[in-house]
């Protein structure tokens, strides 16, 4: 990646920060566009404040960067549960504006972050492959499906575009901020730290695929380093873990109890999903290497380090 120039759209969040640092360490010139970014250079990364739909901001960055990683997304399944208009206004409309600027800039290597945990709905067979029918249960997931098609249409219209769509599992790890309705691992460990309980919707048997942040970053690096590789790719651990099992693991690594309060299940929640990532492995050689218990322990250690009082 040395000498490559990469634009991370919506790169100010958890995944974007981790990916940006990795690419910069590899010698890439990294630019981050975010609505909340404080402009300037930090850790070798150039931060730019602006909206992806603002051509005046985006065009100069696209002129400079031959690779684009699109991470921008402002909703969660719960936040837009009753508002398709919110999903359209906050994610699809800005994406459409960005694609207009991208089309004017000409072909680029594009890596789009979709969702492997939501768009398959409740799969008929597991692990879910990329060819499984898309069955979104939430407006957030439906928005991801629509965004994928927007990107594919762009790639067909702009000759030379090399598009890869990544569908990651539930990503977790050190550096993930606490956010309501998002990031169950971070939420669980925070509850353990505070001695608080957690609310679960349903009986806790819902199964998810949890992917450690370093593994996801390496999946991205593998795709960016192979610009001829195009198509749609899952990125998951290859194993499913129930929510109650995740609670038990969080209790083990923290050494603290996490009381559970159950609520009726929600129609927007997937009952069970884990991903088949063999297509990505065949294309780039990637596979997840961090066991869930190890990843949880690393995340807990980082949380406790940040919570520790400063040395005198």
């Amino acid at each position: 990646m040395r000498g490559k120039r990469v634009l991370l759209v919506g790169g100010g969040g958890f995944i974007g920060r981790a990916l940006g640092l990795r690419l910069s360490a590899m010698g890439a010139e990294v630019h981050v566009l975010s609505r909340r970014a404080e402009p300037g250079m930090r850790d070798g990364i150039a931060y730019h404040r602006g909206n992806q739909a603002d051509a005046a901001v985006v065009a100069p960055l696209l002129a400079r960067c031959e690779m684009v990683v699109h991470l921008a997304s402002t909703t969660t399944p719960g936040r837009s549960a009753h508002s398709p208009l919110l999903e359209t206004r906050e994610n699809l409309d800005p994406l459409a504006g960005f694609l207009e600027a991208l089309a004017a800039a000409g072909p680029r290597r594009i890596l789009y972050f979709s969702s492997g945990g939501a768009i398959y709905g409740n799969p008929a067979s597991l692990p879910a492959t990329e060819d499984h029918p898309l069955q979104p249960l939430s407006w957030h997931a439906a928005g991801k499906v629509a965004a994928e098609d927007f990107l594919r249409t762009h790639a067909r219209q702009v000759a030379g575009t090399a598009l890869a769509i990544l569908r990651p599992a539930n990503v977790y790890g050190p550096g993930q901020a606490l956010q309501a309705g998002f990031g169950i691992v971070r939420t669980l460990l925070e509850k353990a730290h505070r001695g608080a309980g957690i609310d679960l919707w349903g009986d806790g048997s819902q199964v998810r695929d949890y992917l450690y942040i370093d593994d996801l970053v390496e999946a991205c690096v593998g795709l960016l380093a192979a610009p001829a590789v195009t198509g749609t790719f899952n990125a998951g651990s290859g194993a499913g873990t129930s929510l109650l099992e995740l609670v038990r693991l969080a209790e083990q690594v923290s050494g603290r109890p996490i009381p559970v309060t159950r609520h009726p299940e929600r129609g927007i929640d997937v009952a069970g999903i884990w991903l088949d990532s063999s297509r990505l492995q065949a294309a780039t050689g990637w596979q997840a290497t961090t066991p869930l218990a190890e990843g949880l322990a690393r995340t807990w250690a980082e949380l406790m380090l940040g919570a520790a009082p400063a040395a005198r």
Side-chain angles (χ1 to χ4, degrees):
M1 294 299 298
R2 183 165 299 279
K4 298 296 183 181
R5 296 164 298 173
V6 187
L7 172 61
L8 306 183
V9 180
F14 170 49
I15 296 173
R17 288 193 299 271
L19 178 58
L21 289 172
R22 178 75 172 100
L23 292 173
S24 180
M26 296 176 71
E29 179 183 313
V30 181
H31 295 264
V32 168
L33 175 64
S34 171
R35 294 183 303 171
R36 297 180 179 86
E38 186 65 33
M41 291 291 297
R42 292 186 296 280
D43 300 318
I45 300 171
Y47 286 85
H48 310 266
R49 178 182 294 167
N51 190 305
Q52 62 172 314
D54 186 346
V57 174
V58 171
L61 293 173
L62 290 175
R64 188 178 186 93
C65 299
E66 70 264 31
M67 292 183 171
V68 175
V69 181
H70 192 284
L71 301 126
S73 181
T74 65
T75 65
T76 64
R79 183 165 176 258
S80 63
H82 304 293
S83 179
L85 184 60
L86 179 67
E87 194 65 41
T88 302
R89 183 174 63 244
E90 294 205 6
N91 288 326
L92 292 179
D93 286 350
L95 174 62
F98 176 73
L99 289 179
E100 288 193 359
L102 190 60
R108 294 290 187 277
R109 172 53 160 169
I110 304 172
L111 175 58
Y112 174 71
F113 267 73
S114 183
S115 169
I119 64 175
Y120 296 116
N122 289 309
S125 60
L126 291 169
T129 70
E130 295 86 350
D131 296 324
H132 191 281
L134 304 183
Q135 304 171 142
L137 301 180
S138 65
W139 293 117
H140 173 79
K144 288 293 187 181
V145 174
E148 286 191 7
D149 282 337
F150 269 62
L151 267 295
R152 292 190 187 97
T153 300
H154 167 83
R156 285 190 288 268
Q157 291 187 356
V158 181
T161 296
L163 171 65
I165 293 173
L166 191 63
R167 295 173 177 169
N170 293 266
V171 184
Y172 73 97
Q176 187 172 28
L178 187 65
Q179 181 180 347
F182 185 79
I184 181 64
V185 168
R186 179 66 176 83
T187 299
L188 275 175
L189 295 180
E190 184 69 24
K191 296 292 187 181
H193 171 51
R194 296 181 180 179
I198 190 165
D199 296 310
L200 290 184
W201 280 261
D203 61 7
S205 64
Q206 304 96 317
V207 171
R208 299 289 185 273
D209 189 341
Y210 297 98
L211 182 65
Y212 190 63
I213 182 62
D214 290 359
D215 289 332
L216 175 64
V217 165
E218 292 310 307
C220 298
V221 168
L223 285 169
L224 290 174
V229 174
T230 60
T232 304
F233 303 92
N234 287 337
S237 70
T241 303
S242 75
L243 290 178
L244 286 182
E245 184 179 357
L246 184 67
V247 172
R248 287 194 293 270
L249 285 171
E251 289 177 328
Q252 289 174 12
V253 301
S254 66
R256 306 180 185 187
I258 306 174
V260 172
T261 300
R262 290 184 173 84
H263 301 274
E265 65 181 47
R266 303 176 296 185
I268 62 172
D269 295 322
V270 174
I273 180 72
W274 66 93
L275 303 176
D276 182 327
S277 305
S278 56
R279 180 183 292 179
L280 183 59
Q281 182 176 4
T284 67
W286 176 87
Q287 62 180 356
T289 60
T290 308
L292 180 55
E294 179 181 333
L296 289 173
R298 292 181 190 174
T299 308
W300 173 254
E302 188 261 356
L303 178 61
M304 289 299 93
L305 183 64
R312 293 180 181 273

